[in-house]
Amino acid sequence: WEMLREARAQALPRRQAYLAAVFSLAPLVSLGIWWLSKLRPAFQYVEDQFFGRYFLIMGQSWGAWTYAWDQLTTSGNGPTQMYFALEFALVFIGLITSLALLRRQPGVALFSLAVFAISFFSGSAQSMSRYIITMPAMFLSLAWVGKQDVFDRGWTIASVLWMGMLAALFSWDMWVG
């Protein structure tokens, strides 16, 4: 996206614009090579069997998110509710920050939305935070808002407390289920 936008903005000669278009397809070519490689089945096995993750499975993902919402709203299990509240909060923040960047930085926003979609529709509602927090839109949005001292200090304190709570829940084996 960015290469094509830059080529158009600089009014590159036709040959260079075509080269930019070809280079912009490099991630898809890399995905295709990996998809056809001998490494993919081993990776797929680990993802499927140990992590329960798949590539863009809408139905199972929707069922997992429905179950997660039920656990959040009706389970009565405090640690489980807290865990899924954090998952839903991060999903919401990730989606909002990506959409907020669409006008200013469309390349970053589109990449972040792709990460969001692949993660959200991977078949499981658990452990979304490790995927969502890697989205570039999260970092850029926080950096932009973090220019204000009050937000910066508040976010830092909240993040440290959040990290401590997650570490405690994990170490006490109360983070899911």
Side-chain angles (χ1 to χ4, degrees), residues 4 33 75 88 112 118 171:
L4 293 173
I33 291 169
S75 75
F88 278 102
S112 295
I118 291 170
S171 64

Side-chain angles (χ1 to χ4, degrees), residues 79-140:
T80 300
Q81 289 176 309
M82 179 54 78
Y83 174 78
F84 282 119
L86 293 173
E87 293 290 328
F88 278 102
L90 271 175
V91 165
F92 179 73
I93 292 169
L95 186 60
I96 294 301
T97 57
S98 297
L99 293 174
L101 281 180
L102 268 175
R103 280 206 155 127
R104 288 186 306 183
Q105 294 179 323
V108 172
L110 291 174
F111 179 77
S112 295
L113 287 170
V115 170
F116 179 85
I118 291 170
S119 303
F120 190 84
F121 294 111
S122 66
S124 178
Q126 291 181 342
S127 299
M128 283 296 294
S129 55
R130 64 182 162 179
Y131 301 109
I132 298 292
I133 63 173
T134 63
M135 294 172 23
M138 292 280 283
F139 293 106
L140 293 174

Side-chain angles (χ1 to χ4, degrees), residues 148-162:
Q148 300 166 355
D149 287 342
V150 172
F151 177 84
D152 187 46
R153 301 311 187 270
W155 182 260
T156 301
I157 290 170
S159 295
V160 168
L161 292 174
W162 190 350

